[in-house]
Amino acid sequence: MIKLLLADDQALVRGAMAALLDMEPDLKVVAEVGRGDEVVPAALATGPDVALLDVEMPGLDGVAAARALLQALPGCRVLMVTTFGRAGYLRQAMAAGAGGFIVKDTPARQLADAVRRVHEGLRVVDPGLAAQSLAQGESPLTDREAGVLRAARDGGTVADIARELHLSEGTVRNHLSAAIGKTGARTRAEAVRLAVENGWLLT
């Protein structure tokens, strides 16, 4: 029996996924959580073989949760199951140690098969995303530029961002300008949107 942990902030989606997977004779859902920062405590309490993690969750995003889980419970495999089929997310998830990355509209039979394959130590990646990831390449943003854009997501002023990141306002303006240029955006808000869509702002 393969024991599963499900992490998704949408209770309806999480419940439906649990019901579908529990119908398989060799799969058993042993834990369900709605926040990324609940993944490690739930995993330590229940000892899952495979964790199915959403990418965008409160508390901790799925990539950071995968990284923390694999440190705390190295024997657990990770399969990212997300609405956000973006190449940048795929690259970050694989770098964090995830064994697979599929989108939520994957048919139930394929989802169960993906769980089994990841459990066996195989890589499972949505083929369309894999092709998109190769075509897109790596993030053009430096760590500092990405950090400034992350801080800009809430719409604060340059002064607000400078205070939050302990930088000078001039340095923040320089990083914002560089990020706008690298993303091909015309405004700060557009640069944030493009960076989010490409999966460049996950921690």
Side-chain angles (χ1 to χ4, degrees), residues 1-5 21-30 46-50 115-116 119:
M1 186 68 72
I2 301 172
K3 296 185 293 180
L4 309 178
L5 178 150
L21 291 169
D22 268 337
M23 290 172 65
E24 298 291 325
D26 59 335
L27 305 180
K28 180 175 179 56
V29 176
V30 295
T46 59
D49 300 303
V50 180
V115 168
R116 294 183 187 104
H119 180 250

Side-chain angles (χ1 to χ4, degrees), residues 27-148:
L27 305 180
K28 180 175 179 56
V29 176
V30 295
E32 295 181 46
V33 298
R35 296 174 54 90
D37 51 6
E38 295 172 344
V39 169
V40 170
L44 291 174
T46 59
D49 300 303
V50 180
L52 289 80
L53 309 181
D54 190 15
V55 171
E56 293 198 349
M57 292 184 287
L60 204 62
D61 67 62
V63 172
R67 197 177 293 115
L69 174 60
L70 293 170
Q71 275 191 325
L73 205 65
C76 184
R77 309 282 188 184
V78 173
L79 174 62
M80 307 300 293
V81 186
T82 180
T83 304
F84 303 96
R86 295 168 184 158
Y89 289 172
L90 167 61
R91 285 193 300 273
Q92 292 189 40
M94 293 295 123
F101 194 106
I102 59 176
V103 291
K104 285 180 182 174
D105 60 4
T106 299
R109 186 181 296 273
Q110 288 181 27
L111 175 61
D113 185 52
V115 168
R116 294 183 187 104
R117 290 168 64 195
V118 166
H119 180 250
E120 290 169 8
L122 303 173
R123 281 285 175 102
V124 181
V125 178
D126 180 274
L129 278 178
Q132 186 185 345
S133 179
L134 286 171
Q136 246 179 26
E138 296 296 321
S139 169
L141 302 172
T142 65
D143 288 345
R144 182 61 83 185
E145 289 160 1
V148 167

Side-chain angles (χ1 to χ4, degrees), residues 148 157-158 161-162 165 167-177:
V148 167
T157 64
V158 167
I161 297 168
L165 300 180
L167 298 170
S168 72
E169 292 184 26
T171 299
V172 168
R173 285 193 190 91
N174 288 341
H175 287 312
L176 283 172
S177 177

